[in-house]
Amino acid sequence: MRTPGRWWRHKSTPEKVETYTRWSFHFFAVMEFFSVGVTSVAPLGARLGSAVMLVVAVHAGLCFVTVSRAIDWTRGRRPQPTGLLWTLASVTAAIAVVALGIAEHGPRGEDVDTAAGGVFGVILIFGPGIIALGVRDRRRAFAIAGGFAAGAWTVAFALGAPLLTALLTALIVLTGGVFIAFTAVFSIWLLNAVYQLDEARETRIRLAVAEERLRFGRDLHDVMGRNLAVIALKSELAVQLAQRGRPEAVTQMVEVQRLAQESQREVREVVRGYREADLGSELAGAQGVLAAAGIDCTVGGAPVAGLPGAVQSALGWVVREAATNVLRHGDARRCAVRLQVLEGRVVLSVENDGVSEAGKEPGAGPPGSGLAGLRERLAEIEGTLEAGPAGRGLFRLTAEIPLPAPSAPPGAPPGAAPAVVASRPVSEVTS
């Protein structure tokens, strides 16, 4: 069973901001109903108070639906709810007129005037603010609040309210309506900005992958382009010589064979350089990338230098994949990388506090990619990889690789201790 906390953690940052924005404005509708709807029953009497409460409930329900439709329209999920906006505006104006009529011509009493005035003010403040969510132009959103304030002054003055009272009422409506409209405009701007920043981060990651592919393609072109051109020319020359019965054709084909073997060797070197990852460079790169994304990344533990090249390369790939997962699949604020050299094995752990999508990563994706690809790479050197939630909102990835048995230095007597390789701290390697 999914707990509420887990449901929230599984959302991305833009989805969290959208949920917060949506329910903040939903709360306005709920607050409207309980602040002036429910409280109107006692001062207005059972019959009139219940009718006012029902009317306020209808208005709150319209606000509730309008919030959802307007935010969905802002995100491009549905068309602009123009009809719903006009309906909300009409109902808002009608309820305000009725509330003002009750205050001026309804039952006498200070409690009645207070209740009716509360309904009048709250409805005219919240209504334009909710309507502003469905308007793209900021000036139009503020103009709606000003229009309702002008209408409030007109109706209040027409129903017999003193001029000063009508002006004060309109000023209160204008101030509250502009504030709620500004809140709506700013919230939508912030929501769109968060989504744009998230899309920019995804674009940056895709560009990094594309740049690496271009680099690999350029390296292959530089290695193979000249050799293939020479092979093609020498093969054509060998064909012409063979057609004439010239013995030099054999010499040309031997040269073609040599070039082909040299090309194979050079391609293997390019691919080997592409696949090998330096652990120190990967740790420094992960710190830089995560810091640029606003994630505090700390690296500590045993020194990097002195580890075998194959172990460093495999762990470098683990760091690279872990940093990618933190950026793309989670919503982390902190990430800790720790390297430990224990009895006959080296352990690398990467722990972060974002488990929204990282928990789904093990087993996800096609074979040979993601964590599945890392397990295959580590299995080649008898290593293991474990990944999963570590409790309290943490996600931990742990790679463990056995170290080769140390050998005694040349010329040392049997049983001598192995030479100790001088090493530097991780902070020096990654700085």
Side-chain angles (χ1 to χ4, degrees), residues 89-238:
S90 302
V91 172
T92 300
I95 295 176
V97 171
V98 171
L100 199 58
I102 293 176
E104 294 295 333
H105 304 288
R108 296 292 91 193
E110 185 176 349
D111 292 343
V112 174
D113 293 342
T114 301
V119 172
F120 176 81
V122 170
I123 290 294
L124 285 183
I125 289 174
F126 285 174
I130 299 299
I131 294 173
L133 289 172
V135 178
R136 200 176 299 276
D137 189 357
R138 301 175 186 176
R139 290 174 296 182
R140 184 175 298 177
F142 295 131
I144 292 173
F148 273 95
W153 176 84
T154 303
V155 174
F157 187 72
L159 290 178
L163 179 61
L164 185 60
T165 303
L167 287 175
L168 182 61
T169 301
L171 181 61
I172 295 174
V173 171
L174 177 64
T175 303
V178 168
F179 176 77
I180 300 296
F182 172 79
T183 303
V185 170
F186 179 77
S187 298
I188 294 300
W189 173 83
L190 180 63
L191 177 62
N192 291 332
V194 171
Y195 269 103
Q196 290 171 3
L197 287 175
D198 188 69
E199 292 171 0
R201 186 178 68 173
E202 292 293 330
T203 302
R204 183 181 61 183
I205 295 173
R206 289 195 297 267
L207 287 176
V209 174
E211 183 179 356
E212 185 65 14
R213 289 175 178 172
L214 287 175
R215 184 192 69 81
F216 186 61
R218 286 194 301 267
D219 291 345
L220 281 181
H221 178 270
D222 295 341
V223 169
M224 296 297 296
R226 180 184 60 83
N227 290 352
L228 289 177
V230 175
I231 288 173
L233 290 174
K234 287 187 172 294
S235 299
E236 184 179 355
L237 178 58

